[in-house]
Amino acid sequence: MEVAEESFPDRDPGEPPRLSVRCEDAGGEYPITQTSLVRVSAWTDDRDGAKALAQLAHAALLEHAGDADVIAVRQEAAVVAGFDPEVPEPNAAFSVLVTQRPR
């Protein structure tokens, strides 16, 4: 499995919050389905704000009922506030598995 690098958003303190998304192939039953691990990170000026933004994005993804392209969205890891001293600003992240029909 190829691992994508996490990128930090180009954001200065005081600017609007941002989300970053990293996607990795997680298998599937090609050509019927493919599954991806999607990690979403929220970036803000404070940890509580980052966690609140990540929770909103998490809820929105888990509410996806499915459509012609996306079959299912399942929780992989719940929202967790970031504590890495090497990360430049407060953040929170979560992961979901997205199963879709390849085109």
Side-chain angles (χ1 to χ4, degrees), residues 11-77:
R11 181 185 176 281
D12 291 323
E15 290 186 344
R18 296 235 166 85
L19 293 173
S20 64
V21 178
R22 180 179 74 180
C23 187
E24 300 173 16
D25 181 6
E29 300 294 327
Y30 191 81
I32 310 288
T33 64
Q34 67 184 46
T35 303
S36 298
L37 177 67
V38 178
R39 178 181 168 87
V40 178
S41 299
W43 306 89
T44 64
D45 289 334
D46 63 84
R47 198 177 94 191
D48 291 339
K51 194 167 182 181
L53 178 59
Q55 287 170 331
L56 285 172
H58 185 246
L61 282 171
L62 291 180
E63 283 294 315
H64 192 282
D67 56 32
D69 297 316
V70 176
I71 298 168
V73 178
R74 298 185 317 262
Q75 178 171 301
E76 177 67 17

